[in-house]
Amino acid sequence: MNGADFRTVVVGAGFAGLSVAQALRDEDTAVIDRGEPLDPAEAAGTLKVVMRAPADNVYVPDIDAQLRSLRSGLIRNDVVMPLSTMSVNLYSYRQGGISNWWGGYAARLTDATFRRDGVLAWPVGLEVMRPHYEQAESLLHVHGDPLVDDYTMAAELPGWHHWRDYFAGLFPLARVTPQAKNVSGQHGGNSGLCLGNGQCAVCPNDAKARPSNVFPEVNVIGRALVEEIVFSGNRAVALRGQSDGEPFSISCDRVVVAAGGLENVALLRRSALPAGVPPYLGHFFQDHTTCEVLALMPRPLKYHHLGAEGAVEIPELSGELEGIEVKTVMLITPPSRDQLKLALGPTATGSTLLDLQRQMSRLARFYLQMEIPPEWELAVRTRGNEAYLYTLPYLQHLPTLDAVVLRVMDRMMKAGLQVKAVMPHHREKFGGHHYSGTTAMSRTPHAVVDTDQRLIGTDNVYINGGSVLPRCGGSGPTLTIVACGLRLGRHLALPIAINERADATVSTAPV
Ligand SMILES: Cc1cc2nc3c(=O)[nH]c(=O)nc-3n(C[C@H](O)[C@H](O)[C@H](O)COP(=O)(O)OP(=O)(O)OC[C@H]3O[C@@H](n4cnc5c(N)ncnc54)[C@H](O)[C@@H]3O)c2cc1C
């Protein structure tokens, strides 16, 4: 320990940080976080109140209400949003970060994503990640379709069978999404009751998997904002910050930066980094963008007939199209009033009320999640203490995204579906939730961390989070973040002489 306060300090108590701490299992580890703990029941109460503020009877839209109920009340924990005019950002520095907010869709990246070449490319393959995925799925208590064999699950997602049958003649590969849940039998009874689909952003019963219910045994020191990593040569020796306005300094033998999509970049940029750190910090920002296609199905839909925030994955409408990975899911929630108007026309001409009802019950929302790949060169940039997104190049690629949507619609029509309307969200804004790629590992020369997630040019700074993933393809990043965290924690548990070694050379193929 060399007299340091802690052997390892993990910055950030979201999924990225707690997964490392869990696997490290070392008493000399401290996890510190800038936020105060979240009480889900209290947050759900706030959500109800702010959605319909009784004093002025003002209706606050869902997302704004969620933002208010999940945000931190501590000084310096506000995030200036949006991070760019083209992105719809959701962010929180409450303890547990946006890991408290996620939808629980816990998909592995595909083999094609791991193999894909490009400006960034995975230096390890699916085979290396498989045991870590399995452990991550077990910890996150993933529920899903028992007929699949490409992920492991704790239990069936209620409703899976109905959707298998419903799609059998149309898209035989369709299956419900793998969903992380904090329900029955997990962690000796510390589990919630799932109220069903569509209640999930702030679950009053805490039935959604969140960092503090997935990793209840990891202790977190809260209300501690890390402002800077202090280096001596290539070694990090201390962290400086403030807690409730009071300065603090913690010495340590190594640091794991797991502070989320913006701060993984911003914290490093605020620190005086050794000269050997690669210049790509903050480059190659990745996220997802979306489009909805409304289609008339041959048979009525049972809206909401699925547990958690699940949906139905349609592999036949997914994959790499126009060089972009797209994942298409059918949402289980019914179309909004505006969507109905768009799909059926303002007066739904020629329809009797009965016809209209029939059509409404058959209207499905196909949701296309399209990757924003590293080649588009979006970036996280910083200005003083603030991080923001540089997204101008996104606009250049709108024609490619339009072409992807057309290809998916073509497949839908060939399967016999009537497309009724398109909601091209991608033309207005993009996702803003899946902050990835900005401190990536890579088998190309653009790596910022090596395959052990050590910041190149330093001896003892490690990173976890979406920022280390070189590519996400069409999938959300979170299951992979947890899998990488478990892998990193195990690596750090090895004797210190083995794991702190010279910079690795770049390999040319995933192993
Ligand atoms: C609405 C929404 C839905 C989503 N749905 C899905 C989904 O269904 N599937 C999926 O795969 N992904 C989803 N995501 C993305 C997912 O939430 C993130 O990928 C994941 O939670 C990131 O985890 P993290 O630990 O890296 O970051 P965070 O959860 O943000 O945690 C970072 C932590 O670091 C702390 N911190 C930050 N800066 C400092 C500092 N300077 N000092 C000390 N502490 C600090 C923060 O307080 C926070 O607790 C969704 C996101 C949103 C917002």
Side-chain angles (χ1 to χ4, degrees), residues 11-12 14-16 33-34 90 93-94 96-99 101-105 224-226 259-260 263 433-434 476-478 481:
V11 183
F15 280 131
D33 196 286
R34 66 197 290 168
L90 301 176
Y93 285 134
R94 195 72 181 240
I98 57 169
S99 302
W101 203 342
W102 76 315
Y105 184 2
L225 165 65
V226 177
E263 273 284 288
H433 309 353
H434 297 163
T478 309
I481 291 174

PDB file of all heavy atoms in Angstrom, residues 11-12 14-16 33-34 90 93-94 96-99 101-105 224-226 259-260 263 433-434 476-478 481, ligand 1:
ATOM      1  N   VAL A  11     -13.908   5.785  -9.055  1.00  0.00           N
ATOM      2  CA  VAL A  11     -14.684   7.036  -9.112  1.00  0.00           C
ATOM      3  C   VAL A  11     -15.975   6.754  -9.876  1.00  0.00           C
ATOM      4  O   VAL A  11     -15.958   6.529 -11.083  1.00  0.00           O
ATOM      5  CB  VAL A  11     -13.888   8.154  -9.825  1.00  0.00           C
ATOM      6  CG1 VAL A  11     -14.692   9.463  -9.797  1.00  0.00           C
ATOM      7  CG2 VAL A  11     -12.525   8.336  -9.189  1.00  0.00           C
ATOM      8  N   GLY A  12     -17.101   6.748  -9.156  1.00  0.00           N
ATOM      9  CA  GLY A  12     -18.400   6.559  -9.816  1.00  0.00           C
ATOM     10  C   GLY A  12     -19.092   5.299  -9.330  1.00  0.00           C
ATOM     11  O   GLY A  12     -18.500   4.210  -9.340  1.00  0.00           O
ATOM     12  N   GLY A  14     -22.105   4.090 -10.568  1.00  0.00           N
ATOM     13  CA  GLY A  14     -23.070   3.532 -11.519  1.00  0.00           C
ATOM     14  C   GLY A  14     -22.704   2.074 -11.771  1.00  0.00           C
ATOM     15  O   GLY A  14     -21.859   1.483 -11.070  1.00  0.00           O
ATOM     16  N   PHE A  15     -23.326   1.474 -12.793  1.00  0.00           N
ATOM     17  CA  PHE A  15     -23.005   0.078 -13.108  1.00  0.00           C
ATOM     18  C   PHE A  15     -21.519  -0.093 -13.421  1.00  0.00           C
ATOM     19  O   PHE A  15     -20.918  -1.106 -13.077  1.00  0.00           O
ATOM     20  CB  PHE A  15     -23.831  -0.400 -14.302  1.00  0.00           C
ATOM     21  CG  PHE A  15     -25.243  -0.776 -13.942  1.00  0.00           C
ATOM     22  CD1 PHE A  15     -26.310  -0.290 -14.670  1.00  0.00           C
ATOM     23  CD2 PHE A  15     -25.503  -1.638 -12.882  1.00  0.00           C
ATOM     24  CE1 PHE A  15     -27.609  -0.645 -14.347  1.00  0.00           C
ATOM     25  CE2 PHE A  15     -26.806  -2.005 -12.549  1.00  0.00           C
ATOM     26  CZ  PHE A  15     -27.865  -1.500 -13.285  1.00  0.00           C
ATOM     27  N   ALA A  16     -20.914   0.907 -14.084  1.00  0.00           N
ATOM     28  CA  ALA A  16     -19.510   0.774 -14.490  1.00  0.00           C
ATOM     29  C   ALA A  16     -18.598   0.644 -13.278  1.00  0.00           C
ATOM     30  O   ALA A  16     -17.689  -0.192 -13.258  1.00  0.00           O
ATOM     31  CB  ALA A  16     -19.100   1.980 -15.337  1.00  0.00           C
ATOM     32  N   ASP A  33     -18.493   8.750  -4.984  1.00  0.00           N
ATOM     33  CA  ASP A  33     -19.462   9.272  -5.950  1.00  0.00           C
ATOM     34  C   ASP A  33     -19.887  10.672  -5.518  1.00  0.00           C
ATOM     35  O   ASP A  33     -20.052  10.953  -4.331  1.00  0.00           O
ATOM     36  CB  ASP A  33     -20.688   8.348  -6.004  1.00  0.00           C
ATOM     37  CG  ASP A  33     -21.535   8.610  -7.242  1.00  0.00           C
ATOM     38  OD1 ASP A  33     -22.243   9.641  -7.281  1.00  0.00           O
ATOM     39  OD2 ASP A  33     -21.471   7.790  -8.172  1.00  0.00           O
ATOM     40  N   ARG A  34     -20.119  11.520  -6.523  1.00  0.00           N
ATOM     41  CA  ARG A  34     -20.465  12.914  -6.233  1.00  0.00           C
ATOM     42  C   ARG A  34     -21.905  13.084  -5.740  1.00  0.00           C
ATOM     43  O   ARG A  34     -22.255  14.112  -5.173  1.00  0.00           O
ATOM     44  CB  ARG A  34     -20.260  13.753  -7.487  1.00  0.00           C
ATOM     45  CG  ARG A  34     -21.206  13.394  -8.606  1.00  0.00           C
ATOM     46  CD  ARG A  34     -20.745  13.917  -9.962  1.00  0.00           C
ATOM     47  NE  ARG A  34     -20.841  15.345 -10.077  1.00  0.00           N
ATOM     48  CZ  ARG A  34     -20.284  16.063 -11.060  1.00  0.00           C
ATOM     49  NH1 ARG A  34     -19.595  15.446 -12.015  1.00  0.00           N
ATOM     50  NH2 ARG A  34     -20.412  17.350 -11.104  1.00  0.00           N
ATOM     51  N   LEU A  90     -30.164  12.843 -21.582  1.00  0.00           N
ATOM     52  CA  LEU A  90     -30.688  12.584 -20.252  1.00  0.00           C
ATOM     53  C   LEU A  90     -29.459  12.339 -19.386  1.00  0.00           C
ATOM     54  O   LEU A  90     -28.575  11.578 -19.770  1.00  0.00           O
ATOM     55  CB  LEU A  90     -31.589  11.351 -20.263  1.00  0.00           C
ATOM     56  CG  LEU A  90     -32.794  11.449 -21.208  1.00  0.00           C
ATOM     57  CD1 LEU A  90     -33.574  10.154 -21.221  1.00  0.00           C
ATOM     58  CD2 LEU A  90     -33.702  12.605 -20.815  1.00  0.00           C
ATOM     59  N   TYR A  93     -26.487  13.276 -11.879  1.00  0.00           N
ATOM     60  CA  TYR A  93     -25.374  13.021 -10.972  1.00  0.00           C
ATOM     61  C   TYR A  93     -25.880  12.634  -9.583  1.00  0.00           C
ATOM     62  O   TYR A  93     -25.205  12.814  -8.598  1.00  0.00           O
ATOM     63  CB  TYR A  93     -24.431  14.224 -10.900  1.00  0.00           C
ATOM     64  CG  TYR A  93     -23.558  14.362 -12.127  1.00  0.00           C
ATOM     65  CD1 TYR A  93     -23.385  15.583 -12.756  1.00  0.00           C
ATOM     66  CD2 TYR A  93     -22.885  13.264 -12.645  1.00  0.00           C
ATOM     67  CE1 TYR A  93     -22.575  15.708 -13.873  1.00  0.00           C
ATOM     68  CE2 TYR A  93     -22.083  13.376 -13.760  1.00  0.00           C
ATOM     69  CZ  TYR A  93     -21.926  14.600 -14.372  1.00  0.00           C
ATOM     70  OH  TYR A  93     -21.130  14.704 -15.487  1.00  0.00           O
ATOM     71  N   ARG A  94     -27.116  12.128  -9.508  1.00  0.00           N
ATOM     72  CA  ARG A  94     -27.557  11.439  -8.302  1.00  0.00           C
ATOM     73  C   ARG A  94     -26.699  10.186  -8.185  1.00  0.00           C
ATOM     74  O   ARG A  94     -26.262   9.641  -9.211  1.00  0.00           O
ATOM     75  CB  ARG A  94     -29.039  11.052  -8.495  1.00  0.00           C
ATOM     76  CG  ARG A  94     -29.769  10.659  -7.247  1.00  0.00           C
ATOM     77  CD  ARG A  94     -30.018  11.867  -6.409  1.00  0.00           C
ATOM     78  NE  ARG A  94     -30.700  11.515  -5.196  1.00  0.00           N
ATOM     79  CZ  ARG A  94     -31.894  12.013  -4.863  1.00  0.00           C
ATOM     80  NH1 ARG A  94     -32.505  12.877  -5.649  1.00  0.00           N
ATOM     81  NH2 ARG A  94     -32.446  11.672  -3.723  1.00  0.00           N
ATOM     82  N   GLY A  96     -25.414   6.744  -8.537  1.00  0.00           N
ATOM     83  CA  GLY A  96     -25.922   5.695  -9.432  1.00  0.00           C
ATOM     84  C   GLY A  96     -26.158   6.231 -10.836  1.00  0.00           C
ATOM     85  O   GLY A  96     -26.425   5.456 -11.759  1.00  0.00           O
ATOM     86  N   GLY A  97     -26.064   7.546 -10.997  1.00  0.00           N
ATOM     87  CA  GLY A  97     -26.076   8.166 -12.327  1.00  0.00           C
ATOM     88  C   GLY A  97     -27.260   7.755 -13.188  1.00  0.00           C
ATOM     89  O   GLY A  97     -28.360   7.513 -12.685  1.00  0.00           O
ATOM     90  N   ILE A  98     -27.033   7.651 -14.486  1.00  0.00           N
ATOM     91  CA  ILE A  98     -28.129   7.249 -15.376  1.00  0.00           C
ATOM     92  C   ILE A  98     -28.382   5.737 -15.309  1.00  0.00           C
ATOM     93  O   ILE A  98     -29.330   5.247 -15.908  1.00  0.00           O
ATOM     94  CB  ILE A  98     -27.921   7.718 -16.836  1.00  0.00           C
ATOM     95  CG1 ILE A  98     -26.619   7.204 -17.430  1.00  0.00           C
ATOM     96  CG2 ILE A  98     -28.039   9.225 -16.940  1.00  0.00           C
ATOM     97  CD1 ILE A  98     -26.515   7.429 -18.948  1.00  0.00           C
ATOM     98  N   SER A  99     -27.539   5.025 -14.549  1.00  0.00           N
ATOM     99  CA  SER A  99     -27.829   3.599 -14.343  1.00  0.00           C
ATOM    100  C   SER A  99     -29.113   3.406 -13.535  1.00  0.00           C
ATOM    101  O   SER A  99     -29.680   2.319 -13.517  1.00  0.00           O
ATOM    102  CB  SER A  99     -26.669   2.911 -13.626  1.00  0.00           C
ATOM    103  OG  SER A  99     -25.468   3.044 -14.340  1.00  0.00           O
ATOM    104  N   TRP A 101     -31.715   5.029 -14.304  1.00  0.00           N
ATOM    105  CA  TRP A 101     -32.743   5.516 -15.212  1.00  0.00           C
ATOM    106  C   TRP A 101     -32.972   4.566 -16.384  1.00  0.00           C
ATOM    107  O   TRP A 101     -33.975   4.633 -17.081  1.00  0.00           O
ATOM    108  CB  TRP A 101     -32.270   6.874 -15.745  1.00  0.00           C
ATOM    109  CG  TRP A 101     -33.317   7.798 -16.246  1.00  0.00           C
ATOM    110  CD1 TRP A 101     -34.605   7.488 -16.602  1.00  0.00           C
ATOM    111  CD2 TRP A 101     -33.173   9.197 -16.450  1.00  0.00           C
ATOM    112  NE1 TRP A 101     -35.254   8.617 -17.026  1.00  0.00           N
ATOM    113  CE2 TRP A 101     -34.402   9.683 -16.943  1.00  0.00           C
ATOM    114  CE3 TRP A 101     -32.118  10.104 -16.282  1.00  0.00           C
ATOM    115  CZ2 TRP A 101     -34.600  11.020 -17.265  1.00  0.00           C
ATOM    116  CZ3 TRP A 101     -32.315  11.427 -16.599  1.00  0.00           C
ATOM    117  CH2 TRP A 101     -33.546  11.879 -17.080  1.00  0.00           C
ATOM    118  N   TRP A 102     -32.011   3.695 -16.615  1.00  0.00           N
ATOM    119  CA  TRP A 102     -32.036   2.925 -17.867  1.00  0.00           C
ATOM    120  C   TRP A 102     -33.307   2.084 -17.998  1.00  0.00           C
ATOM    121  O   TRP A 102     -34.024   1.858 -17.019  1.00  0.00           O
ATOM    122  CB  TRP A 102     -30.779   2.057 -17.983  1.00  0.00           C
ATOM    123  CG  TRP A 102     -30.730   0.820 -17.135  1.00  0.00           C
ATOM    124  CD1 TRP A 102     -31.078   0.713 -15.822  1.00  0.00           C
ATOM    125  CD2 TRP A 102     -30.308  -0.483 -17.549  1.00  0.00           C
ATOM    126  NE1 TRP A 102     -30.870  -0.570 -15.391  1.00  0.00           N
ATOM    127  CE2 TRP A 102     -30.418  -1.328 -16.425  1.00  0.00           C
ATOM    128  CE3 TRP A 102     -29.855  -1.015 -18.736  1.00  0.00           C
ATOM    129  CZ2 TRP A 102     -30.072  -2.678 -16.481  1.00  0.00           C
ATOM    130  CZ3 TRP A 102     -29.510  -2.356 -18.785  1.00  0.00           C
ATOM    131  CH2 TRP A 102     -29.621  -3.173 -17.673  1.00  0.00           C
ATOM    132  N   GLY A 103     -33.560   1.593 -19.229  1.00  0.00           N
ATOM    133  CA  GLY A 103     -34.764   0.802 -19.487  1.00  0.00           C
ATOM    134  C   GLY A 103     -34.601  -0.674 -19.186  1.00  0.00           C
ATOM    135  O   GLY A 103     -35.548  -1.447 -19.324  1.00  0.00           O
ATOM    136  N   GLY A 104     -33.395  -1.124 -18.824  1.00  0.00           N
ATOM    137  CA  GLY A 104     -33.197  -2.523 -18.447  1.00  0.00           C
ATOM    138  C   GLY A 104     -33.008  -3.481 -19.618  1.00  0.00           C
ATOM    139  O   GLY A 104     -32.919  -4.693 -19.426  1.00  0.00           O
ATOM    140  N   TYR A 105     -32.948  -2.955 -20.837  1.00  0.00           N
ATOM    141  CA  TYR A 105     -32.759  -3.801 -22.030  1.00  0.00           C
ATOM    142  C   TYR A 105     -31.296  -4.234 -22.043  1.00  0.00           C
ATOM    143  O   TYR A 105     -30.409  -3.443 -22.337  1.00  0.00           O
ATOM    144  CB  TYR A 105     -33.121  -2.978 -23.267  1.00  0.00           C
ATOM    145  CG  TYR A 105     -33.088  -3.686 -24.609  1.00  0.00           C
ATOM    146  CD1 TYR A 105     -32.782  -5.028 -24.749  1.00  0.00           C
ATOM    147  CD2 TYR A 105     -33.381  -2.973 -25.767  1.00  0.00           C
ATOM    148  CE1 TYR A 105     -32.763  -5.642 -25.987  1.00  0.00           C
ATOM    149  CE2 TYR A 105     -33.362  -3.571 -27.019  1.00  0.00           C
ATOM    150  CZ  TYR A 105     -33.049  -4.903 -27.122  1.00  0.00           C
ATOM    151  OH  TYR A 105     -33.029  -5.510 -28.360  1.00  0.00           O
ATOM    152  N   ALA A 224     -19.085  13.168  -2.802  1.00  0.00           N
ATOM    153  CA  ALA A 224     -17.658  13.462  -2.967  1.00  0.00           C
ATOM    154  C   ALA A 224     -17.341  13.622  -4.453  1.00  0.00           C
ATOM    155  O   ALA A 224     -17.234  12.625  -5.173  1.00  0.00           O
ATOM    156  CB  ALA A 224     -16.814  12.358  -2.351  1.00  0.00           C
ATOM    157  N   LEU A 225     -17.234  14.846  -4.875  1.00  0.00           N
ATOM    158  CA  LEU A 225     -16.963  15.163  -6.291  1.00  0.00           C
ATOM    159  C   LEU A 225     -15.458  15.169  -6.538  1.00  0.00           C
ATOM    160  O   LEU A 225     -14.728  15.958  -5.932  1.00  0.00           O
ATOM    161  CB  LEU A 225     -17.559  16.542  -6.604  1.00  0.00           C
ATOM    162  CG  LEU A 225     -17.113  17.244  -7.882  1.00  0.00           C
ATOM    163  CD1 LEU A 225     -17.549  16.482  -9.117  1.00  0.00           C
ATOM    164  CD2 LEU A 225     -17.664  18.664  -7.930  1.00  0.00           C
ATOM    165  N   VAL A 226     -14.991  14.292  -7.413  1.00  0.00           N
ATOM    166  CA  VAL A 226     -13.565  14.283  -7.751  1.00  0.00           C
ATOM    167  C   VAL A 226     -13.319  15.322  -8.840  1.00  0.00           C
ATOM    168  O   VAL A 226     -13.960  15.283  -9.896  1.00  0.00           O
ATOM    169  CB  VAL A 226     -13.110  12.887  -8.232  1.00  0.00           C
ATOM    170  CG1 VAL A 226     -11.651  12.909  -8.647  1.00  0.00           C
ATOM    171  CG2 VAL A 226     -13.343  11.854  -7.148  1.00  0.00           C
ATOM    172  N   ALA A 259     -16.911   7.237 -14.224  1.00  0.00           N
ATOM    173  CA  ALA A 259     -17.744   8.387 -13.854  1.00  0.00           C
ATOM    174  C   ALA A 259     -18.792   8.721 -14.910  1.00  0.00           C
ATOM    175  O   ALA A 259     -19.416   9.776 -14.852  1.00  0.00           O
ATOM    176  CB  ALA A 259     -16.849   9.593 -13.584  1.00  0.00           C
ATOM    177  N   GLY A 260     -18.980   7.816 -15.887  1.00  0.00           N
ATOM    178  CA  GLY A 260     -20.044   8.028 -16.877  1.00  0.00           C
ATOM    179  C   GLY A 260     -19.536   8.672 -18.153  1.00  0.00           C
ATOM    180  O   GLY A 260     -18.373   9.073 -18.271  1.00  0.00           O
ATOM    181  N   GLU A 263     -18.110  12.468 -17.835  1.00  0.00           N
ATOM    182  CA  GLU A 263     -17.034  12.717 -16.876  1.00  0.00           C
ATOM    183  C   GLU A 263     -15.809  11.831 -17.092  1.00  0.00           C
ATOM    184  O   GLU A 263     -14.716  12.204 -16.675  1.00  0.00           O
ATOM    185  CB  GLU A 263     -17.550  12.537 -15.449  1.00  0.00           C
ATOM    186  CG  GLU A 263     -18.165  13.790 -14.871  1.00  0.00           C
ATOM    187  CD  GLU A 263     -17.122  14.817 -14.452  1.00  0.00           C
ATOM    188  OE1 GLU A 263     -16.431  14.609 -13.456  1.00  0.00           O
ATOM    189  OE2 GLU A 263     -17.025  15.854 -15.163  1.00  0.00           O
ATOM    190  N   HIS A 433     -28.381   8.899 -24.958  1.00  0.00           N
ATOM    191  CA  HIS A 433     -28.358   8.120 -23.711  1.00  0.00           C
ATOM    192  C   HIS A 433     -27.153   7.171 -23.638  1.00  0.00           C
ATOM    193  O   HIS A 433     -26.806   6.719 -22.582  1.00  0.00           O
ATOM    194  CB  HIS A 433     -29.564   7.187 -23.592  1.00  0.00           C
ATOM    195  CG  HIS A 433     -30.881   7.827 -23.800  1.00  0.00           C
ATOM    196  ND1 HIS A 433     -31.051   9.158 -23.949  1.00  0.00           N
ATOM    197  CD2 HIS A 433     -32.105   7.266 -23.860  1.00  0.00           C
ATOM    198  CE1 HIS A 433     -32.344   9.406 -24.100  1.00  0.00           C
ATOM    199  NE2 HIS A 433     -32.993   8.275 -24.065  1.00  0.00           N
ATOM    200  N   HIS A 434     -26.595   6.817 -24.780  1.00  0.00           N
ATOM    201  CA  HIS A 434     -25.609   5.721 -24.832  1.00  0.00           C
ATOM    202  C   HIS A 434     -24.218   6.276 -25.124  1.00  0.00           C
ATOM    203  O   HIS A 434     -23.638   6.010 -26.164  1.00  0.00           O
ATOM    204  CB  HIS A 434     -26.023   4.700 -25.904  1.00  0.00           C
ATOM    205  CG  HIS A 434     -27.330   4.032 -25.611  1.00  0.00           C
ATOM    206  ND1 HIS A 434     -28.054   3.355 -26.567  1.00  0.00           N
ATOM    207  CD2 HIS A 434     -28.044   3.930 -24.473  1.00  0.00           C
ATOM    208  CE1 HIS A 434     -29.162   2.870 -26.013  1.00  0.00           C
ATOM    209  NE2 HIS A 434     -29.176   3.210 -24.749  1.00  0.00           N
ATOM    210  N   GLY A 476     -27.716  -1.485 -26.955  1.00  0.00           N
ATOM    211  CA  GLY A 476     -27.382  -0.601 -25.843  1.00  0.00           C
ATOM    212  C   GLY A 476     -26.094  -1.087 -25.182  1.00  0.00           C
ATOM    213  O   GLY A 476     -25.745  -2.266 -25.282  1.00  0.00           O
ATOM    214  N   PRO A 477     -25.375  -0.214 -24.475  1.00  0.00           N
ATOM    215  CA  PRO A 477     -24.048  -0.577 -23.974  1.00  0.00           C
ATOM    216  C   PRO A 477     -23.999  -1.243 -22.603  1.00  0.00           C
ATOM    217  O   PRO A 477     -22.969  -1.787 -22.211  1.00  0.00           O
ATOM    218  CB  PRO A 477     -23.344   0.788 -23.878  1.00  0.00           C
ATOM    219  CG  PRO A 477     -24.448   1.767 -23.609  1.00  0.00           C
ATOM    220  CD  PRO A 477     -25.673   1.224 -24.300  1.00  0.00           C
ATOM    221  N   THR A 478     -25.103  -1.236 -21.844  1.00  0.00           N
ATOM    222  CA  THR A 478     -24.966  -1.426 -20.391  1.00  0.00           C
ATOM    223  C   THR A 478     -24.553  -2.834 -19.978  1.00  0.00           C
ATOM    224  O   THR A 478     -23.705  -2.997 -19.099  1.00  0.00           O
ATOM    225  CB  THR A 478     -26.256  -0.983 -19.688  1.00  0.00           C
ATOM    226  OG1 THR A 478     -26.547   0.326 -20.160  1.00  0.00           O
ATOM    227  CG2 THR A 478     -26.098  -0.946 -18.190  1.00  0.00           C
ATOM    228  N   ILE A 481     -20.976  -2.966 -20.469  1.00  0.00           N
ATOM    229  CA  ILE A 481     -20.255  -2.179 -19.448  1.00  0.00           C
ATOM    230  C   ILE A 481     -20.062  -3.026 -18.176  1.00  0.00           C
ATOM    231  O   ILE A 481     -18.975  -3.066 -17.590  1.00  0.00           O
ATOM    232  CB  ILE A 481     -21.042  -0.887 -19.102  1.00  0.00           C
ATOM    233  CG1 ILE A 481     -21.041   0.092 -20.279  1.00  0.00           C
ATOM    234  CG2 ILE A 481     -20.491  -0.228 -17.838  1.00  0.00           C
ATOM    235  CD1 ILE A 481     -21.912   1.338 -20.074  1.00  0.00           C
TER     236      ILE A 481
HETATM  237  C1  LIG B   1     -33.587   6.925 -20.146  1.00  0.00           C
HETATM  238  C2  LIG B   1     -32.444   5.994 -20.385  1.00  0.00           C
HETATM  239  C3  LIG B   1     -32.707   4.696 -20.816  1.00  0.00           C
HETATM  240  C4  LIG B   1     -31.655   3.812 -21.046  1.00  0.00           C
HETATM  241  N1  LIG B   1     -31.962   2.531 -21.398  1.00  0.00           N
HETATM  242  C5  LIG B   1     -30.981   1.652 -21.632  1.00  0.00           C
HETATM  243  C6  LIG B   1     -31.286   0.306 -21.953  1.00  0.00           C
HETATM  244  O1  LIG B   1     -32.458  -0.099 -21.950  1.00  0.00           O
HETATM  245  N2  LIG B   1     -30.248  -0.531 -22.250  1.00  0.00           N
HETATM  246  C7  LIG B   1     -28.941  -0.117 -22.194  1.00  0.00           C
HETATM  247  O2  LIG B   1     -28.057  -0.918 -22.481  1.00  0.00           O
HETATM  248  N3  LIG B   1     -28.624   1.142 -21.828  1.00  0.00           N
HETATM  249  C8  LIG B   1     -29.601   2.030 -21.541  1.00  0.00           C
HETATM  250  N4  LIG B   1     -29.286   3.309 -21.145  1.00  0.00           N
HETATM  251  C9  LIG B   1     -27.869   3.671 -20.966  1.00  0.00           C
HETATM  252  C10 LIG B   1     -27.377   3.289 -19.550  1.00  0.00           C
HETATM  253  O3  LIG B   1     -28.120   3.956 -18.580  1.00  0.00           O
HETATM  254  C11 LIG B   1     -25.875   3.639 -19.411  1.00  0.00           C
HETATM  255  O4  LIG B   1     -25.169   2.980 -20.442  1.00  0.00           O
HETATM  256  C12 LIG B   1     -25.251   3.168 -18.096  1.00  0.00           C
HETATM  257  O5  LIG B   1     -26.103   3.402 -17.020  1.00  0.00           O
HETATM  258  C13 LIG B   1     -23.930   3.883 -17.873  1.00  0.00           C
HETATM  259  O6  LIG B   1     -23.393   3.475 -16.631  1.00  0.00           O
HETATM  260  P1  LIG B   1     -22.143   4.226 -15.988  1.00  0.00           P
HETATM  261  O7  LIG B   1     -21.895   3.612 -14.672  1.00  0.00           O
HETATM  262  O8  LIG B   1     -21.036   4.288 -16.971  1.00  0.00           O
HETATM  263  O9  LIG B   1     -22.628   5.747 -15.819  1.00  0.00           O
HETATM  264  P2  LIG B   1     -23.607   6.367 -14.726  1.00  0.00           P
HETATM  265  O10 LIG B   1     -24.712   5.441 -14.433  1.00  0.00           O
HETATM  266  O11 LIG B   1     -23.976   7.728 -15.176  1.00  0.00           O
HETATM  267  O12 LIG B   1     -22.718   6.463 -13.400  1.00  0.00           O
HETATM  268  C14 LIG B   1     -21.673   7.397 -13.268  1.00  0.00           C
HETATM  269  C15 LIG B   1     -21.526   7.722 -11.789  1.00  0.00           C
HETATM  270  O13 LIG B   1     -20.364   8.520 -11.609  1.00  0.00           O
HETATM  271  C16 LIG B   1     -20.646   9.584 -10.713  1.00  0.00           C
HETATM  272  N5  LIG B   1     -19.726  10.680 -11.035  1.00  0.00           N
HETATM  273  C17 LIG B   1     -19.676  11.387 -12.187  1.00  0.00           C
HETATM  274  N6  LIG B   1     -18.696  12.308 -12.126  1.00  0.00           N
HETATM  275  C18 LIG B   1     -18.082  12.152 -10.932  1.00  0.00           C
HETATM  276  C19 LIG B   1     -17.000  12.831 -10.297  1.00  0.00           C
HETATM  277  N7  LIG B   1     -16.310  13.808 -10.911  1.00  0.00           N
HETATM  278  N8  LIG B   1     -16.674  12.474  -9.025  1.00  0.00           N
HETATM  279  C20 LIG B   1     -17.356  11.476  -8.390  1.00  0.00           C
HETATM  280  N9  LIG B   1     -18.389  10.806  -8.948  1.00  0.00           N
HETATM  281  C21 LIG B   1     -18.740  11.127 -10.208  1.00  0.00           C
HETATM  282  C22 LIG B   1     -22.106   9.911 -10.979  1.00  0.00           C
HETATM  283  O14 LIG B   1     -22.710  10.591  -9.888  1.00  0.00           O
HETATM  284  C23 LIG B   1     -22.698   8.532 -11.236  1.00  0.00           C
HETATM  285  O15 LIG B   1     -23.169   7.946 -10.046  1.00  0.00           O
HETATM  286  C24 LIG B   1     -30.309   4.233 -20.879  1.00  0.00           C
HETATM  287  C25 LIG B   1     -30.049   5.531 -20.432  1.00  0.00           C
HETATM  288  C26 LIG B   1     -31.091   6.408 -20.184  1.00  0.00           C
HETATM  289  C27 LIG B   1     -30.782   7.775 -19.671  1.00  0.00           C
END
